[in-house]
Amino acid sequence: MARISIDPVTRIEGHLRIDVEVDGGKVQKAWASCTMWRGLETILRGRDAREGWVFAQRFCGVCTTVHAIASVRAVEDALQLEIPANAQYIRNLILIAHALHDHIIHFYQLSSLDWVDIATIPKADPARAASIAEGYSNWPGNSRRELEAVQSKVKGMVDSGQLGIFSHGYWGHPAMRLSPELNLILFAHYLQALEFQRKACQIVGVLGGKTPHIQNLAVGGVMNAINLNSLATFNMDRLGMLQSLLQELIPFVQQAYFVDACLLSGSYPEWFRYGRGVANYLAVPDLPTDAKATQFDLPGGLIMKGNLASVQPIQNWRDQAFRSAVAEDVTHAWYKGEGAQTPWKGETDPNYTDFQADKKYTWVKAPRYNGQPIQVGPLANVLVGYASGHPLTRKWTDTAFKTISSVHDSGAPGFNLTPEDLQSTMGRYLARAIRSAMLSDLALQHWQLLTDNILKGDDTTFNPPQFPSHECEGVGMHEAPRGSLSHWVIIDKGSFTNYQAVVPTTWNASPRDAKGVPGPYETSLIANPVVDPEKPLEVLRTVHSFDPCMACACHTLDVSGREIARVKVL
Amino acid sequence: MSTGVVNPGAGRPFHRIAVVGIGNVLLGDDGFGPLAVEMFRRLYQCDSNVEILDLGTPGLDLAPYLYDTDLVVIADAIYPHKEEKPGTLCVYCEDDLGSSHAQLRLTSHDPGVQESLTQLRLAGHAPSEVIVVGVVPESCGLGKGISLSVLNTCLVAVDTIARLLVERSIDCRRRHAPVQRTLWWLSSSA
């Protein structure tokens, strides 16, 4: 039995440590520990509820927008304040652009090098690579010339021995199996992805006034002034600029990213068998299409025990079942208090004890839904949509399955996937690409909704909030890139008296609860293969599939706890 | 006082310039970068090709903001290789970052500066010059605010940024009167 402790230094926000016990080449037990305190909510107490979002968007350096949105939605929910249709569409477009940016970064910059061995790229035949890539998509970045240029850059880097940030990859690991040609195609898109991240940022900037840290939000709507006759405001020029940026971004998502995720899926079919984990899924409805938020373009729902037929819809943000089902358990987290509490009554009172696998071992609370652990994220989003018969989800999921069945790189022709197979490590990568393709269709639809509404003569963007003299409580929901996010607020005379954020990573990185039931990361690692305990690449594949956005420094320990190897992982 | 950073592209025009602040404004001195760029915006007037950005803690999301820039000046809390007093101002060029001269804040939220630059370079869209104007932090605790030592250095850092631009023939002038900007995170706390 080997005990491996992966204690990553995250590249983005929040620290995660993963401990696994490995026997016979497979993980037997796992613990997820967040090693950074997330007590930022405490500084919101006593603040003016209209300004909470400005602080909330600094919770995390990457998910700025999502916390800002959840915060204003929470206050609007508490006040039962409706916002104008224009405000819904402008917010939706910001959320879509942010999510596309985030998903592209996750696939290429944060996780593709778990699967793509760049050290083989010098051996690739660029002509053959171009013909493979052109067989799946008409993305212009797949030309032989483009691929030759990328290959020569990589050769230069390898020959000079200056792999730089890539020098710590698991190159040559037996679990790396793509042909040099596929490695070249995916790495070419890795570099091209930077241009499209920029375009996604520009979209957020055009709408939000500034990026990162949008400026245009307000409790009650948005502060974008709409006047088609004024140069200084949101006008037809601005709408035109937005449309062209979307039209430049979407082909990369649908013809490069989506296709690459299918190529990866078809080349590593065994990864649809690992990493299932907690098979209870939650997605909250998002992208409202009307002012009152009664209709949504992304359906919400709950699936228990992996049974897609059992899907229970969450129709809207006022869903009472959701409000009473969510509770956070601190039995194994470094906080004072016992058992589970609704977030409205949640405390964030630290009680650090050091890592004690049987007792307290993380800063993450254990959120539970009617007492059950829950997995959130693009996979939950896609499964709920598919199970509810949502046409857009079905369209892109079926397209993905069809594309994957034609990938022969694995030597496994006729590889046919079903939605059940998505409940896996690779399924989480694929679901994120499916969701991105869906979002890019929806981006143009919401641009059209906004344009039509403005042309109809509606220029309202803001309904002023009025705070009652009594205490009120609210929940703000958002189906964020990493999954369901909810901000829970209690407001008294216009100021917060409590503020709790139940973030996607809290659901997924949850520790064990009072009953000893582990969370999604922990469960998903059981039976995960580990060929070489000194290079636990396979563990990282499953952890990264949840998009925790991190680089890891892996410390491999033998049974006595002595450090025998250290591998920095990208 | 010279900034001590040699301008490798002397005489060559810079078309797109970014002055960026990195750090979390809620975490004490980690907020040095955002504070410095906001103070720079208040005190100096620049050409329209100079973008002034408070980027928070972007991690690898930094790359899109540096994409196709010619010159980037980064204000950030840093830990130099040899121990320095809190509030010490340190100016580095890009080559220093990879060496042991400086270590950018690689703790609770690594800004991913080097990773982003390497990716941009491979993609052919990296800035030709990168300068880091760093300050050694005293305390990066939640809700602590900026410490006096870092605050005192902040004005020097702002003047340094201006001098770096002027040395590169970029129009950057001190305003007659500072523009008002709300530094919301420093306003009345709860």
Side-chain angles (χ1 to χ4, degrees):
Chain A
M1 176 88 65
R3 169 89 178 235
I4 306 172
S5 176
I6 304 176
D7 194 353
V9 177
T10 147
R11 187 180 286 156
I12 295 187
E13 197 79 27
H15 286 189
L16 181 73
R17 161 178 164 174
I18 298 282
D19 284 49
V20 289
E21 279 180 12
V22 180
D23 200 12
K26 283 190 159 69
V27 173
Q28 308 294 328
K29 278 188 187 170
W31 293 264
S33 168
C34 175
T35 58
M36 190 178 82
W37 187 37
R38 303 189 51 99
L40 292 170
E41 296 116 316
T42 51
I43 63 167
L44 279 158
R45 286 196 190 166
R47 297 245 179 226
D48 187 326
R50 291 168 301 181
E51 294 172 357
W53 67 274
V54 180
F55 288 82
Q57 80 168 330
R58 303 275 173 157
F59 277 5
C60 165
V62 175
C63 309
T64 54
T65 310
V66 307
H67 289 297
I69 290 276
S71 182
V72 289
R73 283 181 177 170
V75 180
E76 287 156 5
D77 179 69
L79 302 180
Q80 303 206 24
L81 175 64
E82 186 184 305
I83 69 168
N86 285 330
Q88 298 285 26
Y89 305 143
I90 288 174
R91 289 182 183 182
N92 290 346
L93 284 164
I94 290 175
L95 295 179
I96 291 171
H98 168 76
L100 290 175
H101 177 199
D102 209 87
H103 290 336
I104 292 171
I105 285 208
H106 173 262
F107 185 76
Y108 292 103
Q109 272 66 35
L110 295 169
S111 60
S112 69
L113 301 183
D114 290 353
W115 310 89
V116 172
D117 187 344
I118 56 173
T120 73
I121 290 176
K123 286 185 286 190
D125 172 356
R128 184 154 173 267
S131 100
I132 294 171
E134 284 159 5
Y136 291 103
S137 125
N138 46 9
W139 174 243
N142 288 336
S143 71
R144 179 180 166 168
R145 231 179 101 195
E146 175 80 23
L147 296 179
E148 276 173 350
V150 170
Q151 187 185 38
S152 97
K153 279 181 198 166
V154 174
K155 268 185 180 160
M157 196 170 67
V158 173
D159 290 349
S160 67
Q162 293 191 320
L163 277 168
I165 56 164
F166 304 113
S167 61
H168 301 294
Y170 284 134
W171 317 133
H173 192 286
M176 292 280 202
R177 272 221 324 275
L178 294 186
S179 65
E181 285 73 27
L182 281 186
N183 285 327
L184 174 57
I185 294 166
L186 266 80
F187 193 66
H189 297 164
Y190 174 110
L191 296 178
Q192 291 164 10
L194 297 165
E195 181 186 347
F196 298 95
Q197 289 165 25
R198 176 160 177 79
K199 291 198 192 299
C201 287
Q202 286 170 334
I203 295 168
V204 175
V206 167
L207 291 161
K210 184 168 170 284
T211 173
H213 316 127
I214 52 174
Q215 311 264 292
N216 68 321
L217 282 188
V219 169
V222 293
M223 290 317 231
N224 304 63
I226 297 177
N227 181 348
L228 295 184
N229 300 317
S230 162
L231 289 175
T233 62
F234 203 84
N235 52 28
M236 282 320 279
D237 278 358
R238 208 66 71 85
L239 282 166
M241 187 198 294
L242 203 57
Q243 189 186 28
S244 1
L245 283 167
L246 287 170
Q247 284 168 343
E248 288 163 358
L249 172 62
I250 291 167
F252 180 79
V253 175
Q254 299 189 344
Q255 296 168 26
Y257 170 26
F258 177 78
V259 174
D260 286 350
C262 292
L263 287 172
L264 208 61
S265 298
S267 307
Y268 287 103
E270 73 279 17
W271 282 91
F272 285 99
R273 296 201 306 271
Y274 306 129
R276 186 172 198 244
V278 169
N280 306 323
Y281 302 94
L282 169 73
V284 294
D286 212 324
L287 305 185
T289 56
D290 57 341
K292 291 185 190 308
T294 61
Q295 303 293 317
F296 296 86
D297 266 340
L298 290 178
L302 185 71
I303 292 171
M304 299 305 284
K305 296 182 181 156
N307 177 10
L308 301 197
S310 76
V311 63
Q312 304 156 39
I314 296 175
Q315 302 286 9
N316 57 55
W317 296 332
R318 305 290 307 170
D319 190 90
Q320 287 306 314
F322 177 91
R323 286 163 197 248
S324 53
V326 177
E328 293 191 293
D329 183 306
V330 296
T331 309
H332 290 278
W334 289 313
Y335 298 99
K336 288 180 188 154
E338 291 295 320
Q341 282 277 20
T342 168
W344 277 319
K345 295 195 175 145
E347 294 286 333
T348 315
D349 207 355
N351 177 25
Y352 183 72
T353 64
D354 211 353
F355 186 99
Q356 297 179 333
D358 297 337
K359 293 180 183 148
K360 290 183 183 284
Y361 60 89
T362 179
W363 284 115
V364 170
K365 296 178 182 178
R368 292 294 181 263
Y369 198 96
N370 290 329
Q372 300 298 314
I374 293 282
Q375 184 180 151
V376 299
L379 173 59
N381 203 186
V382 167
L383 289 178
V384 164
Y386 201 95
S388 330
H390 182 240
L392 191 63
T393 311
R394 295 226 159 177
K395 171 187 144 186
W396 282 105
T397 308
D398 294 341
T399 307
F401 290 170
K402 209 168 134 214
T403 310
I404 292 165
S405 71
S406 70
V407 177
H408 295 291
D409 201 61
S410 61
F415 174 59
N416 287 312
L417 286 171
T418 67
E420 268 72 24
D421 295 315
L422 291 176
Q423 304 184 51
S424 59
T425 294
M426 189 57 88
R428 278 185 285 273
Y429 287 94
L430 187 60
R432 198 170 286 110
I434 291 170
R435 181 176 196 263
S436 300
M438 290 164 53
L439 287 174
S440 55
D441 277 353
L442 289 170
L444 285 178
Q445 288 176 28
H446 282 255
W447 179 87
Q448 197 66 53
L449 285 169
L450 175 63
T451 306
D452 290 350
N453 199 52
I454 292 175
L455 289 174
K456 232 169 52 192
D458 181 357
D459 61 2
T460 55
T461 55
F462 175 65
N463 297 331
Q466 280 174 352
F467 289 88
S469 53
H470 57 85
E471 190 182 84
C472 51
E473 57 186 30
V475 185
M477 298 188 196
H478 169 38
E479 187 63 18
R482 289 175 186 80
S484 301
L485 167 69
S486 51
H487 283 204
W488 302 66
V489 301
I490 297 189
I491 300 167
D492 194 14
K493 298 181 196 69
S495 299
F496 296 116
T497 54
N498 200 1
Y499 201 112
Q500 292 286 323
V502 183
V503 307
T505 300
T506 315
W507 287 105
N508 287 339
S510 154
R512 286 152 174 78
D513 57 25
K515 289 178 283 185
V517 178
Y521 286 9
E522 298 176 330
T523 315
S524 69
L525 285 166
I526 305 303
N528 200 87
V530 179
V531 176
D532 180 353
E534 294 196 16
K535 294 177 180 168
L537 172 63
E538 303 94 325
V539 171
L540 288 166
R541 287 178 172 176
T542 294
V543 173
H544 280 156
S545 72
F546 288 95
D547 189 8
C549 292
M550 71 189 113
C552 319
C554 296
H555 307 261
T556 307
L557 302 167
D558 67 12
V559 195
S560 66
R562 187 169 55 86
E563 187 174 295
I564 54 173
R566 172 186 287 212
V567 194
K568 186 162 182 211
V569 182
L570 286 171
Chain B
M1 185 186 94
S2 157
T3 52
V5 171
V6 184
N7 173 10
R12 204 162 37 81
F14 291 105
H15 296 292
R16 244 194 97 210
I17 298 115
V19 176
V20 307
I22 294 178
N24 192 331
V25 295
L26 304 181
L27 296 175
D29 288 342
D30 197 45
F32 161 73
L35 178 65
V37 297
E38 287 308 334
M39 284 174 74
F40 179 70
R41 208 198 302 267
R42 283 172 91 136
L43 296 172
Y44 286 90
Q45 166 117 43
C46 296
D47 263 356
S48 60
N49 61 346
V50 180
E51 261 191 299
I52 302 168
L53 299 165
D54 159 12
L55 293 182
T57 49
L60 277 181
D61 288 16
L62 179 63
Y65 299 99
L66 308 187
Y67 189 92
D68 272 346
T69 50
D70 298 302
L71 168 66
V72 175
V73 181
I74 298 171
D76 195 3
I78 54 139
Y79 294 108
H81 74 298
K82 72 173 175 24
E83 196 149 326
E84 299 277 9
K85 276 200 309 223
T88 307
L89 180 73
C90 309
V91 181
Y92 300 104
C93 66
E94 192 181 351
D95 285 347
D96 295 331
L97 304 184
S99 73
S100 57
H101 291 140
Q103 195 188 1
L104 287 174
R105 191 164 160 67
L106 296 173
T107 57
S108 61
H109 32 72
D110 170 6
V113 173
Q114 288 180 68
E115 283 89 339
S116 298
L117 289 172
T118 307
Q119 288 172 10
L120 288 169
R121 184 141 303 122
L122 272 172
H125 298 278
S128 49
E129 190 181 2
V130 179
I131 304 166
V132 175
V133 175
V135 164
V136 181
E138 186 173 319
S139 157
C140 296
L142 176 64
K144 291 255 172 74
I146 299 274
S147 66
L148 205 56
S149 58
V150 170
L151 196 60
N152 286 337
T153 312
C154 202
L155 279 174
V156 186
V158 166
D159 293 339
T160 305
I161 294 171
R163 190 175 314 110
L164 286 162
L165 298 188
V166 169
E167 281 172 7
R168 282 151 185 77
S169 311
I170 296 156
D171 192 14
C172 171
R173 290 172 218 187
R174 197 160 175 113
R175 295 178 192 272
H176 297 303
V179 287
Q180 287 307 308
R181 304 273 311 173
T182 316
L183 300 177
W184 55 269
W185 64 91
L186 297 178
S187 62
S188 67
S189 62

